[in-house]
Structures are given as structure tokens and as C-alpha cells.
């Protein structure tokens, strides 16, 4: 099973779509809300990102809701 982390905010519609998609596919993930969690925000910025969603799958970063890339990395 892949190790999946979703960096998100409460107000991001693409973040909601990513989380719904992963849930529909029964893919467990860890959510890091950069709006509420200062450490998560620092982590995201240290990776060179300012926007969300950023999905990290086994160390590979996907910026935005790129369904094809998610499916590829998750072997769906």
C-alpha cells in the first residue's frame, strides 16, 4: 500500500476533490492542513510549493489534482 500525504486547506475545492477521489478508491491518506498546521505549511514550503493541493505518494510529488498521475503512481 502506498504512503499518501495530501497537503490541503479548508477553502481549496481541488483539495476536496483529491480527498474524495482517494476515498472513493479506498486509498488511505494522511491530510496535512497547511491553513491550520504551521509545521505542515513549513514542510510544504521547504519542498518549494506555495499552493495546494500537493499530494506526495511514496516520496513522489503531484501538484494539483492530476488524476492520470495519481492513478499511475497508485497503480490504479
Amino acid at each position: 500500500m502506498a504512503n499518501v500525504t495530501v497537503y490541503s486547506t479548508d477553502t481549496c475545492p481541488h483539495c476536496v476533490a483529491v480527498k474524495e477521489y482517494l476515498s472513493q478508491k479506498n486509498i488511505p491518506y494522511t491530510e496535512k492542513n497547511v491553513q491550520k498546521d504551521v509545521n505542515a505549511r513549513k514542510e510544504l514550503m521547504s519542498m518549494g510549493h506555495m499552493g495546494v493541493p500537493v499530494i506526495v505518494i511514496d516520496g513522489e510529488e503531484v501538484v494539483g489534482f492530476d488524476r492520470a498521475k495519481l492513478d499511475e503512481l497508485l497503480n490504479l
Side-chain angles (χ1 to χ4, degrees):
M1 183 67 63
N3 182 7
V4 182
T5 303
V6 178
Y7 291 88
S8 67
T9 65
D10 293 334
T11 56
C12 164
H14 298 291
C15 300
V16 172
V18 166
K19 294 183 287 186
E20 285 178 356
Y21 183 72
L22 292 172
S23 294
Q24 287 170 358
K25 299 288 186 181
N26 295 315
I27 305 290
Y29 63 89
T30 302
E31 180 179 5
K32 294 196 176 185
N33 188 318
V34 300
Q35 197 172 335
K36 296 176 179 172
D37 182 343
V38 176
N39 290 328
R41 185 168 35 243
K42 287 179 183 171
E43 265 178 48
L44 186 68
M45 291 171 72
S46 74
M47 293 189 290
H49 302 294
M50 294 297 287
V52 289
V54 174
I55 304 98
V56 181
I57 301 171
D58 291 335
E60 180 108 14
E61 298 171 15
V62 179
V63 180
F65 185 16
D66 184 341
R67 190 179 310 229
K69 187 72 176 169
L70 294 175
D71 287 352
E72 176 189 325
L73 293 172
L74 294 166
N75 298 315
L76 297 176

